[in-house]
Amino acid sequence: QHQENIPLRKRLRSKEMANFEKRRRTSCSLSATAATLLVLVLARSCEKNKLLDCEAFQVAAPHHGRERFSSSLFQKTPAATLPFQRGSLLRSSTSWLSSSNDNNSNLNDSSSEYDHACDVLVLGSGPAARAIASLLSASNQLKVILADQNFDRRFAPNYGVWHDEWQTVCEAYQQAGVKLEGGQCGQSIDRKWSVTDCFFGGSFGMPMTQRIRLDRPYYRVDRDALRDSLTDEPPYQVLRANHISKACGVNLYEPAGSLLHDATGSTIRLQAKDSLLTVRTQLIVDCTGHETKLVLKEARQAPQSKPGFQIAYGILADVEEPNKKEIDNMIGPYAKDAMTLFDYRTDHYESSDEETQAKVGSAPTFMYAMPLKDNQVFFEETSLVARPAVSF
């Protein structure tokens, strides 16, 4: 995902905006929700002492909470049919997780050739990685290691989610022994809106000013509070080290010996700041993101040989409107008490040349606006999918 310059709309003129806090942002889904689904399935499978076919595993995560997650997924979705998106599971041959207290656990292997041994090794330290590590280690039944050289880095993305979905997530986490805390509104939430607005003017004959209001509350996640909830006094072990492996075939990796699977588990080498570590584990969960090197991408035939990309660019802005009345509850075209989820309007391009208008029509984007406090707003322009990727 690449970001360059955000195209500001005419109705949010540059002269009306000041004190921009620009930052890079990646378009991502609420990984912690996906992690919850994954962990509940893992835990259920552990109870039944089953082996799951990890190659068939996916968890469909919502992008900014836009796709609905039903709580029924936690009870009714068969493990073998869950599609898994952000983290990838690398199966450890024919064995499955056993308790650290199990006499047959591989952790009892006292071989000096391993620097560390565990039941589950989680690669990465984003929301998905920390959620999986926290949930699997909360009961102290499994020894979990989380490995990432960037463990101390702050979460960069902006996360949003529907109220009902977040309550489901929090309840599931609490049942597993993990409590999401902090944020101005509690439960790691920074801001709440009671309604959600959408604008589709210019499409299907809809007027530019027509607003569709959804009576469904929306939340902005406090990324720092979420990180702290999944990090403070973690029951899992942290290694500030990255894997060095790259998939070159099915269960084949280079450099030679950097990642090996066998009948009882996996052995992987991790690069720390000043040393190379060898870790023995029964299961590896890869949460290093879309650019993972541990999974081979599926080959595609033309014309779909080039993938489509989702991309977004956001800014946190203080909007100056000196002529605005204090009693007005609007910032430009947006209501302060609503989360604007979709604004697909393109009337600000009407005076542009034909080539620009054709480009806008062929690769639609939308903006969402999160009014935070006073006249501070988080804006983000999003391309849901385009081939090639839209450049901002």
Side-chain angles (χ1 to χ4, degrees), residues 264-285:
T264 59
S266 302
T267 302
I268 188 170
R269 307 196 75 183
L270 305 176
Q271 180 64 61
K273 184 176 180 181
D274 300 315
S275 61
L276 199 61
L277 305 175
T278 302
V279 178
R280 180 67 180 175
T281 181
Q282 294 189 59
L283 182 73
I284 296 173
V285 184

Side-chain angles (χ1 to χ4, degrees), residues 12 23 25 63-66 157-162 190-193 195-196 218-222 315-317 319 331 334-342 367-380:
L12 294 171
R23 65 177 177 81
R25 107 153 225 104
H63 173 61
H64 307 304
R66 293 185 189 113
N158 180 76
Y159 298 106
V161 64
W162 296 110
D190 174 61
R191 178 74 162 85
K192 296 180 179 181
W193 298 272
V195 293
T196 306
Y218 199 85
Y219 287 176
R220 181 180 190 240
V221 178
D222 187 318
I315 58 172
L316 182 62
V319 182
I331 298 183
Y334 303 119
K336 288 184 178 181
D337 60 352
M339 155 65 182
T340 298
L341 186 61
F342 296 110
M367 185 164 69
Y368 73 68
M370 289 181 163
L372 301 178
K373 60 180 179 179
D374 301 325
N375 269 27
Q376 190 177 77
V377 187
F378 180 80
F379 296 102
E380 181 178 290

Side-chain angles (χ1 to χ4, degrees), residues 108-250:
N108 295 324
D109 190 344
S110 59
S111 174
S112 60
E113 63 180 303
Y114 307 133
D115 296 296
H116 300 276
C118 61
D119 293 301
V120 182
L121 173 65
V122 181
L123 302 177
S125 61
R130 293 182 198 232
I132 289 173
S134 296
L135 292 165
L136 285 179
S137 58
S139 65
N140 293 317
Q141 295 300 305
L142 297 171
K143 182 175 180 181
V144 180
I145 293 178
L146 184 146
D148 190 355
Q149 288 184 0
N150 297 317
F151 179 79
D152 301 308
R153 181 180 295 175
R154 185 185 182 194
F155 289 169
N158 180 76
Y159 298 106
V161 64
W162 296 110
H163 156 78
D164 54 328
E165 292 177 354
W166 191 249
Q167 293 308 309
T168 300
V169 169
C170 290
E171 291 169 7
Y173 274 47
Q174 192 156 0
Q175 290 175 6
V178 178
K179 193 172 183 180
L180 300 180
E181 301 177 303
Q184 294 186 20
C185 305
Q187 293 186 319
S188 298
I189 294 300
D190 174 61
R191 178 74 162 85
K192 296 180 179 181
W193 298 272
S194 59
V195 293
T196 306
D197 287 347
C198 302
F199 297 90
F200 302 99
S203 300
F204 306 105
M206 298 176 67
M208 287 292 178
T209 56
Q210 182 174 341
R211 179 185 70 189
I212 298 176
R213 173 156 286 186
L214 307 177
D215 292 324
R216 189 180 181 191
Y218 199 85
Y219 287 176
R220 181 180 190 240
V221 178
D222 187 318
R223 58 191 176 195
D224 294 326
L226 176 64
R227 183 182 182 278
D228 292 343
S229 296
L230 301 175
T231 303
D232 288 348
E233 300 181 4
Y236 53 84
Q237 180 183 351
V238 176
L239 294 180
R240 288 170 173 80
N242 291 346
H243 77 84
I244 60 173
S245 307
K246 180 179 180 181
C248 57
V250 178

Side-chain angles (χ1 to χ4, degrees), residues 21-34:
E21 180 192 327
K22 293 188 177 180
R23 65 177 177 81
R24 265 191 84 177
R25 107 153 225 104
T26 55
S27 173
C28 69
S29 49
L30 190 57
S31 307
T33 308

